Amino acid sequence: MAEFIRADLRGSRFGRVDLSGAQFHAVDLTDARFRGVYLHRVLMRGVELVDVDIHGEVESLTINGVDVGPLVNAELNRRYPDRAKMRPTDPAGFREGWDILERLWGETVERARRLRPELLHESVDGEWSFIETLRHLVFATDSWIRRAILGDSAPWDPLDLPWDEMPDTPGVPRDRDARPSLDAVLELRHDRMSTVRQVIDGLTDESLEGHTKPVEAPGWPEPRSYPVRECLLIILNEEWEHRLYAERDLDALEAHGT
């Protein structure tokens, strides 16, 4: 166990570091940046949260005795009425949710097409570019639909892009230097979205409550059985959240482009 007492660690970088169980007392985290960080069961006392911007999953977050998770979710549902439909409970609900995502992504892609092509490779505030976002969604579909549900042990395309914190895995591509055109990525994306459509259109009450068969090969997700419902909910969540991120970054890119 390392101890840093009255140490000056300003500007330090921590990558793939395990700080579980660590204790912070009288620590200055001004201007700190956290990305891909797990904060499960964190206890904070005597903290000051001023001008803090948080994007991520918020559940069971208690601030000054108030669980703000439900408040955040209620406000997000108010802002985005279709958001609540991303947690369907039956096959018809999944079909409706996918209809919504196809429509919304169509609008977002048309908005992106109005930008100069080079801007679609530009990162905003260290986030994925627009094209990298599309590549990641292809990876998500390949992993949770083609691998987990359909049983393809190695479904990935060379343009698939896992999340940055995922450990390197044999057979799973991760080419951050690739610069494919929007049309090339959209061709791949349309193919994968059609696969999701086929799976969802074929859902029955029985199949929705079923489990996948383990795929005995290295890759992601890990080779074990998963509830079909869980796999589909992951896809709906990925599609919904990453479109919001894309729309947010397109705002900045449009301002930059003009």
Side-chain angles (χ1 to χ4, degrees), residues 94-130:
F94 276 96
R95 286 188 274 275
E96 181 185 16
W98 193 249
D99 287 341
I100 292 170
L101 288 168
E102 286 182 330
R103 171 176 56 81
L104 292 176
W105 267 112
E107 296 169 359
T108 299
V109 168
E110 286 305 309
R111 182 183 178 191
R113 284 191 181 279
R114 293 194 288 269
L115 292 173
R116 300 197 310 273
E118 63 270 19
L119 290 178
L120 301 183
H121 291 288
E122 187 170 313
S123 170
V124 176
D125 197 24
E127 300 291 341
W128 280 330
S129 69
F130 185 79

Side-chain angles (χ1 to χ4, degrees), residues 88-91 94 144-145 147-151 196 199-200 202-214 224-236:
T89 59
D90 58 21
F94 276 96
W144 291 105
I145 302 297
R147 176 177 163 92
I149 293 181
L150 299 180
V196 179
V199 170
I200 288 180
L203 276 181
T204 63
D205 291 334
E206 182 179 7
S207 64
L208 182 58
E209 298 305 321
H211 286 69
T212 67
K213 294 181 179 180
R224 63 179 176 86
S225 179
Y226 296 88
V228 171
R229 179 188 300 276
E230 176 185 320
C231 297
L232 294 174
L233 286 174
I234 287 172
I235 290 299
L236 261 60

Side-chain angles (χ1 to χ4, degrees), residues 34-79:
F34 299 84
R35 183 187 176 100
V37 176
Y38 296 94
L39 294 172
H40 298 192
R41 298 180 299 281
V42 171
L43 179 66
M44 299 182 183
R45 294 290 185 268
V47 301
E48 294 185 16
L49 284 175
V50 181
D51 295 330
V52 175
D53 186 4
I54 300 175
H55 285 267
E57 291 190 33
V58 179
E59 295 183 13
S60 300
L61 173 61
T62 301
I63 299 179
N64 293 338
V66 178
D67 183 359
V68 303
L71 305 179
V72 172
N73 280 322
E75 174 60 17
L76 289 174
N77 288 341
R78 186 193 68 80
R79 294 184 183 185

Side-chain angles (χ1 to χ4, degrees), residues 162-249:
W163 74 98
D164 287 343
E165 293 76 24
M166 175 179 167
D168 289 335
T169 304
V172 181
R174 188 205 301 275
D175 186 357
R176 287 298 300 268
D177 295 326
R179 290 294 182 270
S181 68
L182 177 61
D183 286 336
V185 174
L186 286 178
E187 181 179 359
L188 186 61
R189 174 102 164 106
H190 289 160
D191 177 77
R192 298 314 196 258
M193 293 183 77
S194 295
T195 301
V196 179
R197 167 59 68 186
Q198 292 171 11
V199 170
I200 288 180
D201 281 350
L203 276 181
T204 63
D205 291 334
E206 182 179 7
S207 64
L208 182 58
E209 298 305 321
H211 286 69
T212 67
K213 294 181 179 180
V215 177
E216 297 300 334
W220 180 262
E222 297 176 354
R224 63 179 176 86
S225 179
Y226 296 88
V228 171
R229 179 188 300 276
E230 176 185 320
C231 297
L232 294 174
L233 286 174
I234 287 172
I235 290 299
L236 261 60
N237 182 69
E238 287 280 306
E239 295 279 350
W240 177 267
E241 296 296 341
H242 281 289
R243 195 194 73 86
L244 291 182
Y245 300 152
E247 288 282 330
R248 175 199 64 195
D249 293 346

